[in-house]
Amino acid sequence: MNHIISIRDLERTDIDCLLDKAALIHANCYDENSLKGKILALLFFEPSTRTRMSFDAAMARLGGTSIGVDSVEASSVAKGETLADTIRVVSGYADAIVLRHPKEGAARLASEFSSVPIINAGDGAGQHPSQTLLDLYTIRQSMPLEGIKVGLLGDLRYGRTAHSLAYALSLYHATLYTLSPKGLELPCAITEELTEGGTAIIEHDDVSTIIRDLDVLYVTRIQRERFPDSASYFRVASSYRITPELLSGVKERLIVLHPLPRLDEIDPRVDLLPHARYFEQSRNGIPVRMAMLQKVIS
Amino acid sequence: MIDHITGGEALNVLKIIGITGFTTESISVATNVKSSKMGRKDIVKIENRELRKEEVDRIALIAPHATISIIRNFEVYEKKGVEIPRYLIGVVRCPNPGCISNTNEPVPSQFEVSQKGLHCLYCDWMITNDIKNYIL
Ligand SMILES: [Zn+2]
């Protein structure tokens, strides 16, 4: 069955194929009734309004319908039902299931009990392949993915979007520059795995020294709760803040991405620069998720 | 009879096969026996007990050189080494507290065994050392 659980399950050709399909959809070359009569179940055991809405919208654009639970409290999960049972029941109602769950590996488990395809929309600190695909898609709108230089900035330890993206970019022989506060570095296991696979990973602590080399700057949230007090948070956060001044003299094709919502990581004045692509990135969620739905339900 | 157990691990082997002070099997244990191959080794002899595959897999994790002999009528009926299988199903617990396999879901833990260690097939965590602390 056509599950999409982890970006690691996809080969480069699968990714290219999905991105090509998304580009066609984006150019309005798609059948708006291709999923007519199909039902998508949205199982969100953790709130994520935007991801949910964008799957809802993607399904509607292809002529399909979506159903879902609005809150965990209202569902049988609150009564102690296992995820395995929920999936067995819900897969009888729908043609595919989008799952978001606080436990890592939940989507993998769901795929073992489901009679319909599962799309992972985030499981705990684990995988979130639809975000990675739309990140890649947004980069590819501006430049080919092969061999680019990408700066990953922010919380690289807990930020799952950065992990999946780093892995996916390694398939395209990217050079990765990591910029993160002390204690929030990319986990060793990931660095080792990527390095062994031939990816160059260069650690830096000052974004201004490398920003002129970069093609992509991927900024992630630095969460306040990772710091002992707000003074140390502000000190670190301000040294990782992206400003128009910092971006002066960068490559013309440099794009700045962020999975949103942002806190203080990017100065709002950056929004006006041609490098700022984070709002476009979030809008790209629709064609990319439409391509994913078409791939799994057919 | 389980021979060539890593020195000092005999009691852990007994724990793995569920032998406690309350079980009735007749058991002999020798620890820190001199061994030309291993320096020192432990030996465990249990009467009237065959080992299940999951038990052998667990023993392989703490005593990779162990040999298991089935003795019938004072003769070695069968003798084999242990081998850590490619996949360990329900043998070790995932150290990641956020892993779905550590909840009440009706699934055993699943690990893939590689050179680097054990890799949780649910959450991707790796167990690289102190594997015996995670044996179920
Ligand atoms: Zn796990």
Side-chain angles (χ1 to χ4, degrees):
Chain A
M1 210 181 305
N2 255 329
H3 303 293
I4 301 181
I5 305 294
S6 160
I7 200 79
R8 291 161 172 277
D9 299 338
L10 299 175
E11 313 236 347
R12 180 172 161 164
T13 50
D14 300 324
I15 295 176
D16 286 335
C17 183
L18 270 167
L19 300 183
D20 289 344
K21 205 171 198 176
L24 282 174
I25 290 170
H26 210 160
N28 277 322
C29 298
Y30 68 95
D31 174 5
E32 50 193 43
N33 287 313
S34 66
L35 297 184
K36 196 172 176 300
K38 301 288 185 186
I39 297 174
L40 178 67
L42 298 163
L43 277 181
F44 278 57
F45 293 108
E46 199 177 54
S48 177
T49 318
R50 278 189 210 168
T51 311
R52 212 200 126 140
M53 282 173 75
S54 76
F55 272 109
D56 244 334
M59 193 61 183
R61 289 234 183 266
L62 293 167
T65 312
S66 41
I67 54 172
V69 275
D70 273 318
S71 69
V72 179
E73 294 76 44
S75 72
S76 11
V77 178
K79 303 180 190 113
E81 187 182 56
T82 59
L83 176 63
D85 280 4
T86 307
I87 294 293
R88 279 195 274 229
V89 171
V90 173
S91 62
Y93 301 161
D95 299 288
I97 296 173
V98 174
L99 176 72
R100 187 175 184 105
H101 195 278
K103 291 284 178 182
E104 286 169 62
R108 180 84 58 208
L109 178 130
S111 71
E112 293 171 12
F113 290 92
S114 178
S115 55
V116 297
I118 299 284
I119 294 178
N120 185 4
D123 53 355
Q127 295 283 333
H128 191 3
S130 65
Q131 178 71 45
T132 308
L133 289 166
L134 73 92
D135 294 341
L136 294 173
Y137 180 76
T138 310
I139 298 171
R140 214 182 70 160
Q141 280 183 313
S142 303
M143 65 194 87
L145 292 170
E146 184 64 35
I148 52 175
K149 294 181 175 174
V150 181
L152 299 170
L153 180 142
D155 176 355
L156 304 183
R157 183 178 161 92
Y158 301 99
R160 62 178 160 205
T161 54
H163 301 172
S164 308
L165 182 63
Y167 177 79
L169 286 168
S170 72
L171 300 176
Y172 295 90
H173 314 107
T175 304
L176 303 176
Y177 296 81
T178 60
L179 297 136
S180 48
K182 240 193 171 40
L184 298 179
E185 295 92 351
L186 202 62
C188 288
I190 296 181
T191 315
E192 268 175 36
E193 188 192 348
L194 296 180
T195 316
E196 280 169 19
T199 303
I201 301 183
I202 300 149
E203 227 179 291
H204 259 277
D205 47 15
D206 181 5
V207 59
S208 65
T209 58
I210 55 149
I211 198 154
R212 282 171 195 82
D213 294 330
L214 298 179
D215 299 306
V216 177
L217 179 62
Y218 194 89
V219 185
T220 59
R221 260 188 309 288
I222 296 177
Q223 313 245 358
R224 217 167 287 210
E225 56 268 28
R226 306 275 180 233
F227 295 87
D229 52 73
S230 47
S232 53
Y233 161 74
F234 282 112
R235 197 172 53 247
V236 169
S238 63
S239 69
Y240 283 85
R241 189 172 157 87
I242 308 304
T243 60
E245 293 73 33
L246 184 73
L247 292 171
S248 70
V250 296
K251 281 188 194 170
E252 201 184 320
R253 75 165 182 177
L254 170 82
I255 59 171
V256 179
L257 302 179
H258 189 298
L260 302 182
R262 65 175 151 175
L263 299 174
D264 311 306
E265 302 90 21
I266 303 178
D267 187 322
R269 290 177 300 150
V270 173
D271 303 355
L272 303 171
L273 301 177
H275 308 292
R277 294 296 167 81
Y278 27 91
F279 294 117
E280 208 174 326
Q281 179 190 4
S282 109
R283 284 193 294 271
N284 287 339
I286 302 291
V288 168
R289 288 180 174 121
M290 285 167 76
M292 292 169 76
L293 291 172
Q294 277 192 334
K295 179 182 153 71
V296 302
I297 313 175
S298 55
Chain B
M1 185 174 85
I2 310 167
D3 197 356
H4 302 107
I5 299 169
T6 315
E9 296 289 350
L11 296 177
N12 285 324
V13 167
L14 288 177
K15 207 173 104 190
I16 285 170
I17 54 185
I19 285 170
T20 64
F22 301 103
T23 40
T24 52
E25 288 95 341
S26 156
I27 299 158
S28 334
V29 176
T31 62
N32 297 322
V33 178
K34 277 210 181 96
S35 157
S36 54
K37 250 196 283 178
M38 308 175 58
R40 58 196 186 98
K41 65 174 185 179
D42 288 8
I43 305 167
V44 168
K45 215 158 107 189
I46 313 161
E47 271 173 41
N48 298 322
R49 174 75 145 81
E50 296 223 359
L51 297 173
R52 292 192 312 267
K53 183 179 182 312
E54 306 92 75
E55 292 171 330
V56 176
D57 290 349
R58 286 182 180 81
I59 292 169
L61 286 175
I62 59 165
H65 305 291
T67 50
I68 297 174
S69 311
I70 299 172
I71 298 167
R72 286 186 186 158
N73 299 326
F74 306 102
E75 274 178 47
V76 176
Y77 174 78
E78 194 188 331
K79 181 175 177 175
K80 56 182 185 223
V82 296
E83 199 181 358
I84 301 177
R86 175 98 199 276
Y87 293 98
L88 293 168
I89 313 292
V91 173
V92 283
R93 177 177 55 80
C94 182
N96 174 6
C99 179
I100 191 86
S101 71
N102 287 325
T103 61
N104 63 343
E105 296 295 333
V107 290
S109 67
Q110 295 191 40
F111 284 83
E112 188 180 9
V113 180
S114 72
Q115 294 264 302
K116 281 201 218 155
L118 309 181
H119 167 225
C120 175
L121 292 181
Y122 286 105
C123 73
D124 280 338
W125 269 46
M126 290 285 292
I127 309 179
T128 46
N129 43 31
D130 297 329
I131 290 171
K132 68 179 156 208
N133 294 344
Y134 301 106
I135 295 177
L136 286 167

